[in-house]
Short mmCIF file of all heavy atoms in Angstrom, two decimals:
data_model
loop_
_atom_site.label_atom_id
_atom_site.label_comp_id
_atom_site.label_asym_id
_atom_site.label_seq_id
_atom_site.Cartn_x
_atom_site.Cartn_y
_atom_site.Cartn_z
N ARG Y 90 -14.62 13.74 -87.59
CA ARG Y 90 -13.75 13.43 -88.73
C ARG Y 90 -12.28 13.46 -88.31
O ARG Y 90 -11.47 12.65 -88.78
CB ARG Y 90 -14.00 14.42 -89.86
CG ARG Y 90 -15.35 14.19 -90.55
CD ARG Y 90 -15.62 15.25 -91.60
NE ARG Y 90 -16.89 14.99 -92.28
CZ ARG Y 90 -17.45 15.85 -93.12
NH1 ARG Y 90 -16.88 17.01 -93.38
NH2 ARG Y 90 -18.61 15.54 -93.69
N ALA Y 91 -11.91 14.41 -87.44
CA ALA Y 91 -10.53 14.49 -86.96
C ALA Y 91 -10.18 13.24 -86.16
O ALA Y 91 -9.07 12.70 -86.28
CB ALA Y 91 -10.34 15.73 -86.11
N GLU Y 92 -11.12 12.77 -85.34
CA GLU Y 92 -10.89 11.56 -84.55
C GLU Y 92 -10.75 10.33 -85.45
O GLU Y 92 -9.90 9.48 -85.21
CB GLU Y 92 -12.03 11.36 -83.55
CG GLU Y 92 -12.05 12.40 -82.43
CD GLU Y 92 -13.29 12.29 -81.56
OE1 GLU Y 92 -14.21 11.53 -81.94
OE2 GLU Y 92 -13.33 12.95 -80.51
N GLU Y 93 -11.59 10.26 -86.48
CA GLU Y 93 -11.51 9.14 -87.42
C GLU Y 93 -10.19 9.17 -88.18
O GLU Y 93 -9.56 8.13 -88.39
CB GLU Y 93 -12.68 9.20 -88.40
CG GLU Y 93 -14.04 8.89 -87.77
CD GLU Y 93 -15.18 9.09 -88.74
OE1 GLU Y 93 -14.95 9.65 -89.83
OE2 GLU Y 93 -16.32 8.69 -88.41
N SER Y 94 -9.76 10.38 -88.57
CA SER Y 94 -8.49 10.52 -89.28
C SER Y 94 -7.33 10.10 -88.39
O SER Y 94 -6.39 9.44 -88.84
CB SER Y 94 -8.32 11.98 -89.73
OG SER Y 94 -7.07 12.16 -90.35
N LEU Y 95 -7.41 10.48 -87.11
CA LEU Y 95 -6.35 10.10 -86.17
C LEU Y 95 -6.29 8.59 -85.99
O LEU Y 95 -5.21 8.00 -85.97
CB LEU Y 95 -6.61 10.79 -84.82
CG LEU Y 95 -5.59 10.47 -83.70
CD1 LEU Y 95 -4.19 10.90 -84.12
CD2 LEU Y 95 -6.01 11.16 -82.41
N ARG Y 96 -7.47 7.97 -85.88
CA ARG Y 96 -7.50 6.51 -85.74
C ARG Y 96 -6.90 5.82 -86.96
O ARG Y 96 -6.16 4.84 -86.84
CB ARG Y 96 -8.94 6.02 -85.50
CG ARG Y 96 -9.45 6.27 -84.09
CD ARG Y 96 -10.73 5.51 -83.83
NE ARG Y 96 -11.83 5.98 -84.66
CZ ARG Y 96 -12.67 6.95 -84.30
NH1 ARG Y 96 -12.53 7.54 -83.13
NH2 ARG Y 96 -13.66 7.31 -85.10
N GLU Y 97 -7.22 6.34 -88.15
CA GLU Y 97 -6.68 5.75 -89.37
C GLU Y 97 -5.18 5.94 -89.45
O GLU Y 97 -4.44 5.04 -89.85
CB GLU Y 97 -7.35 6.38 -90.60
CG GLU Y 97 -8.75 5.87 -90.87
CD GLU Y 97 -8.78 4.38 -91.12
OE1 GLU Y 97 -7.93 3.88 -91.89
OE2 GLU Y 97 -9.63 3.69 -90.52
N SER Y 98 -4.70 7.13 -89.05
CA SER Y 98 -3.26 7.40 -89.07
C SER Y 98 -2.53 6.46 -88.12
O SER Y 98 -1.46 5.93 -88.45
CB SER Y 98 -3.00 8.86 -88.67
OG SER Y 98 -3.52 9.74 -89.63
N GLU Y 99 -3.09 6.27 -86.92
CA GLU Y 99 -2.46 5.39 -85.95
C GLU Y 99 -2.50 3.94 -86.41
O GLU Y 99 -1.56 3.18 -86.16
CB GLU Y 99 -3.14 5.55 -84.59
CG GLU Y 99 -2.85 6.91 -83.96
CD GLU Y 99 -3.52 7.10 -82.61
OE1 GLU Y 99 -4.43 6.31 -82.28
OE2 GLU Y 99 -3.13 8.03 -81.89
N LYS Y 100 -3.56 3.56 -87.13
CA LYS Y 100 -3.65 2.21 -87.67
C LYS Y 100 -2.57 1.99 -88.72
O LYS Y 100 -1.91 0.94 -88.74
CB LYS Y 100 -5.05 1.99 -88.27
CG LYS Y 100 -5.28 0.59 -88.79
CD LYS Y 100 -6.70 0.45 -89.33
CE LYS Y 100 -6.95 -0.96 -89.89
NZ LYS Y 100 -8.34 -1.08 -90.42
N ARG Y 101 -2.39 2.99 -89.61
CA ARG Y 101 -1.35 2.88 -90.64
C ARG Y 101 0.03 2.85 -90.00
O ARG Y 101 0.91 2.09 -90.42
CB ARG Y 101 -1.47 4.04 -91.63
CG ARG Y 101 -2.66 3.95 -92.56
CD ARG Y 101 -2.53 4.93 -93.70
NE ARG Y 101 -2.52 6.30 -93.24
CZ ARG Y 101 -3.60 7.04 -93.09
NH1 ARG Y 101 -4.80 6.53 -93.34
NH2 ARG Y 101 -3.52 8.30 -92.67
N PHE Y 102 0.22 3.70 -88.98
CA PHE Y 102 1.51 3.73 -88.29
C PHE Y 102 1.81 2.37 -87.67
O PHE Y 102 2.93 1.87 -87.75
CB PHE Y 102 1.51 4.81 -87.20
CG PHE Y 102 2.67 4.68 -86.25
CD1 PHE Y 102 3.93 5.13 -86.61
CD2 PHE Y 102 2.50 4.08 -85.00
CE1 PHE Y 102 5.00 5.00 -85.75
CE2 PHE Y 102 3.58 3.94 -84.14
CZ PHE Y 102 4.84 4.40 -84.50
N ARG Y 103 0.79 1.77 -87.04
CA ARG Y 103 1.00 0.48 -86.37
C ARG Y 103 1.43 -0.58 -87.38
O ARG Y 103 2.33 -1.38 -87.10
CB ARG Y 103 -0.31 0.07 -85.68
CG ARG Y 103 -0.26 -1.22 -84.91
CD ARG Y 103 0.79 -1.25 -83.85
NE ARG Y 103 0.71 -0.14 -82.92
CZ ARG Y 103 1.57 0.04 -81.93
NH1 ARG Y 103 2.57 -0.81 -81.75
NH2 ARG Y 103 1.45 1.08 -81.13
N ALA Y 104 0.83 -0.58 -88.57
CA ALA Y 104 1.19 -1.55 -89.59
C ALA Y 104 2.63 -1.33 -90.06
O ALA Y 104 3.41 -2.28 -90.18
CB ALA Y 104 0.22 -1.46 -90.77
N LEU Y 105 2.98 -0.07 -90.33
CA LEU Y 105 4.34 0.24 -90.77
C LEU Y 105 5.35 -0.06 -89.67
O LEU Y 105 6.45 -0.54 -89.92
CB LEU Y 105 4.42 1.72 -91.17
CG LEU Y 105 3.65 2.11 -92.44
CD1 LEU Y 105 3.66 3.63 -92.61
CD2 LEU Y 105 4.27 1.44 -93.66
N PHE Y 106 4.96 0.23 -88.44
CA PHE Y 106 5.82 0.03 -87.28
C PHE Y 106 6.21 -1.44 -87.16
O PHE Y 106 7.39 -1.78 -86.99
CB PHE Y 106 5.07 0.50 -86.03
CG PHE Y 106 5.78 0.25 -84.72
CD1 PHE Y 106 6.84 1.06 -84.34
CD2 PHE Y 106 5.38 -0.76 -83.87
CE1 PHE Y 106 7.49 0.86 -83.14
CE2 PHE Y 106 6.02 -0.97 -82.66
CZ PHE Y 106 7.09 -0.16 -82.30
N ARG Y 107 5.23 -2.32 -87.25
CA ARG Y 107 5.49 -3.75 -87.09
C ARG Y 107 6.29 -4.33 -88.25
O ARG Y 107 7.14 -5.20 -88.07
CB ARG Y 107 4.18 -4.52 -86.94
CG ARG Y 107 3.44 -4.20 -85.65
CD ARG Y 107 4.28 -4.54 -84.44
NE ARG Y 107 3.61 -4.19 -83.19
CZ ARG Y 107 4.23 -4.05 -82.03
NH1 ARG Y 107 5.54 -4.22 -81.97
NH2 ARG Y 107 3.56 -3.74 -80.94
N GLN Y 108 6.02 -3.86 -89.46
CA GLN Y 108 6.61 -4.47 -90.66
C GLN Y 108 7.93 -3.84 -91.08
O GLN Y 108 8.64 -4.40 -91.92
CB GLN Y 108 5.61 -4.38 -91.81
CG GLN Y 108 4.30 -5.12 -91.55
CD GLN Y 108 3.23 -4.79 -92.56
OE1 GLN Y 108 3.49 -4.12 -93.57
NE2 GLN Y 108 2.00 -5.23 -92.30
N SER Y 109 8.28 -2.69 -90.50
CA SER Y 109 9.47 -1.98 -90.94
C SER Y 109 10.75 -2.79 -90.69
O SER Y 109 10.93 -3.37 -89.62
CB SER Y 109 9.58 -0.64 -90.20
OG SER Y 109 10.81 0.00 -90.52
N PRO Y 110 11.67 -2.81 -91.66
CA PRO Y 110 12.96 -3.48 -91.46
C PRO Y 110 13.92 -2.63 -90.64
O PRO Y 110 15.00 -3.09 -90.25
CB PRO Y 110 13.47 -3.67 -92.89
CG PRO Y 110 12.88 -2.51 -93.64
CD PRO Y 110 11.52 -2.29 -93.03
#
Side-chain angles (χ1 to χ4, degrees):
R90 288 176 178 171
E92 291 173 350
E93 290 174 350
S94 177
L95 179 60
R96 284 193 294 270
E97 283 300 314
S98 294
E99 291 179 345
K100 183 178 179 181
R101 287 193 297 270
F102 167 79
R103 182 58 54 182
L105 292 172
F106 175 76
R107 293 301 177 198
Q108 299 168 9
S109 174

